[in-house]
Amino acid sequence: MSDDNNTTQVNLTDSQGGTHEDLNQLAGQTLESTSYLGNGGPVDHSTITSYWVFPATATRTRSGLPDLTANTVQPVETWSRQALTDNGTTTWRIIETDTSYDATTTDSDFGLPTVQYSHTVPAAAAYERCTTTTYAAPNTSANLVGLVASCEQRRVATASCVEAAQGVRRLHLYKLVTAELIGEAIYNNYAITPMNFDPG
């Protein structure tokens, strides 16, 4: 784990070259999953998930050990690829979903998703989706918190939606690779069509 000795940061590298810090709070979370066509066959599809570790909502000091903290962990970026082989060569359809959350620990909606931006890589307007969610005021007497008040999905993402989902995500990522860095790493190795990555 990263910083177990209070000095050494441990990073993991995914199949696309993205780096992810191996934080204690991410124990048990899946970084990457890959499905193959049969034993020893080619990759059919794979998914890389980056996470945001929320600020601690509770801390307990331990003698001789790092503080024990209570943190919420949520996926902040999901990057998925699907192999397309119908034309005799393998190309990739890539979909990415970026999600931002209420990050204020004192809010009743803390940790709940607020904006989600789904798009192809590279982004194509015809396949963009933006979802914004708001929540009802808490009813503490009935112990009701986090109830959805509205959920709006737009087929074409606005600049404010993209900035909210991706800009806030850049602040939340714990030294994880951003969508732009993933894209650039792939761009260097593939020739791009609007929906596919063709091996170059």
Side-chain angles (χ1 to χ4, degrees), residues 158-170:
T158 62
S160 59
C161 167
V162 175
E163 179 60 25
Q166 292 191 332
V168 173
R169 180 207 58 199
R170 294 189 194 104

Side-chain angles (χ1 to χ4, degrees), residues 132-170:
T132 56
T133 305
T134 61
Y135 299 90
N139 184 338
T140 54
S141 62
N143 292 322
L144 296 176
V145 178
L147 297 179
V148 174
S150 68
C151 185
E152 178 183 5
Q153 184 178 84
R154 299 181 180 182
R155 294 187 61 187
V156 178
T158 62
S160 59
C161 167
V162 175
E163 179 60 25
Q166 292 191 332
V168 173
R169 180 207 58 199
R170 294 189 194 104

Side-chain angles (χ1 to χ4, degrees), residues 4 7 19-20 52 55 62 119-120 160-161 163 181 184 196:
D4 268 359
T7 59
T19 57
H20 310 253
W52 176 45
R62 298 184 294 180
H119 57 95
T120 56
S160 59
C161 167
E163 179 60 25
L181 293 180
E184 289 171 5
N196 308 322

Side-chain angles (χ1 to χ4, degrees), residues 37-128:
L37 293 176
N39 185 22
V43 173
D44 179 68
H45 60 276
S46 63
T47 299
I48 299 170
T49 304
S50 299
Y51 299 91
W52 176 45
V53 177
F54 287 67
T57 55
T59 301
R60 188 180 76 189
T61 301
R62 298 184 294 180
S63 177
L65 293 171
D67 291 347
L68 185 64
T69 62
N71 302 83
T72 297
V73 174
Q74 293 283 15
V76 72
E77 175 187 292
T78 303
W79 183 95
S80 302
R81 61 174 179 164
Q82 172 65 56
L84 305 176
T85 59
D86 52 353
N87 60 0
T89 60
T90 300
T91 59
W92 298 96
R93 174 178 293 127
I94 299 186
I95 301 293
E96 181 181 307
T97 300
D98 307 309
T99 306
S100 66
Y101 301 85
D102 186 325
T104 304
T105 57
T106 55
D107 284 355
S108 59
D109 304 329
F110 171 69
L112 295 177
T114 54
V115 181
Q116 186 174 81
Y117 172 44
S118 178
H119 57 95
T120 56
V121 178
Y127 304 100
E128 291 183 316

